Amino acid sequence: MNHNYTKTMSKKIFLLILLIGLSITSFSQKQNDRIKALKTAYITEKLDLSSKEAAVFWPIYNEFSKKEYQLKRVDLIGIRKKIKKDGGIESFSDKEAEVILSELIDIETKLHLAKKKMISDLKKVISIKKIIKLYKAEQEFNRRILNRLRKNRLRK
């Protein structure tokens, strides 16, 4: 085969794979953005936030959400991948399992502290009743999203 032809095909295959990857990432990002917009609207409605309250509420809530995402999605997934890569939890020594447990407890502690800070900051902005409504609204929204995902999976 011609060397230039092979090189050209390799470039085309690489570009195709890159475009597919970007399309999947773009689709996934659009879905995440859509869910975030729906959640924002849902919580704003359920808490009956005034525009003044919303202007202060959302930066506090979004800061917490970023920390929560980092801890739950990035850190926990990192631990799960490590466990899987190393052959599962059964392959760990007691000492290694103790380290994993310590990391898990550390993540839960950081989550708890981040939530306490968010609540403390929100108390300066909205009523305690609205903070309790926030818990309920988050649970309801998450349940609705999960139900939609389940229904979509069943349709496929």
Side-chain angles (χ1 to χ4, degrees), residues 117-137:
K117 181 186 182 327
M118 178 191 69
I119 290 168
S120 174
D121 292 346
L122 287 177
K123 282 181 180 179
K124 300 169 190 167
V125 179
I126 60 175
S127 72
I128 292 172
K129 289 180 183 179
K130 285 188 179 185
I131 293 171
I132 294 169
K133 286 181 183 181
L134 172 63
Y135 274 94
K136 185 177 180 196

Side-chain angles (χ1 to χ4, degrees), residues 2-144:
N2 182 340
H3 177 67
N4 286 336
Y5 175 78
T6 306
K7 195 173 183 179
T8 303
M9 286 304 293
S10 294
K11 284 182 182 179
K12 287 181 181 179
I13 291 170
F14 173 75
L15 286 174
L16 181 63
I17 291 170
L18 182 64
L19 287 173
I20 290 170
L22 290 174
S23 296
I24 291 170
T25 302
S26 176
F27 175 77
S28 178
Q29 185 61 45
K30 285 179 186 175
Q31 285 293 96
N32 287 341
D33 290 346
R34 184 169 178 256
I35 290 171
K36 188 174 181 179
L38 289 170
K39 186 175 184 179
T40 299
Y42 189 83
I43 289 174
T44 299
E45 178 188 331
K46 291 296 181 181
L47 270 58
D48 192 27
L49 295 175
S50 69
S51 57
K52 190 176 181 180
E53 289 173 325
V56 183
F57 171 86
W58 285 109
I60 293 168
Y61 186 82
N62 290 337
E63 180 184 335
F64 167 74
S65 293
K66 285 179 190 174
K67 287 178 184 173
E68 182 181 43
Y69 179 85
Q70 172 67 37
L71 292 166
K72 283 186 173 179
R73 302 295 191 278
V74 178
D75 295 356
L76 281 177
I77 286 174
I79 291 173
R80 286 187 192 128
K81 284 181 180 179
K82 179 184 179 350
I83 291 169
K84 187 176 180 179
K85 182 185 82 137
D86 292 346
I89 201 68
E90 295 302 322
S91 67
F92 284 76
S93 69
D94 284 347
K95 190 171 186 171
E96 290 168 325
E98 182 71 33
V99 169
I100 295 290
L101 181 60
S102 179
E103 290 173 357
L104 292 170
I105 290 170
D106 186 47
I107 290 170
E108 291 295 327
T109 300
K110 287 177 182 176
L111 270 169
H112 177 74
L113 292 174
K115 190 156 233 172
K116 279 182 76 171
K117 181 186 182 327
M118 178 191 69
I119 290 168
S120 174
D121 292 346
L122 287 177
K123 282 181 180 179
K124 300 169 190 167
V125 179
I126 60 175
S127 72
I128 292 172
K129 289 180 183 179
K130 285 188 179 185
I131 293 171
I132 294 169
K133 286 181 183 181
L134 172 63
Y135 274 94
K136 185 177 180 196
E138 286 176 317
Q139 290 173 345
E140 288 172 352
F141 181 81
N142 291 338
R143 192 175 14 242
R144 286 177 177 214

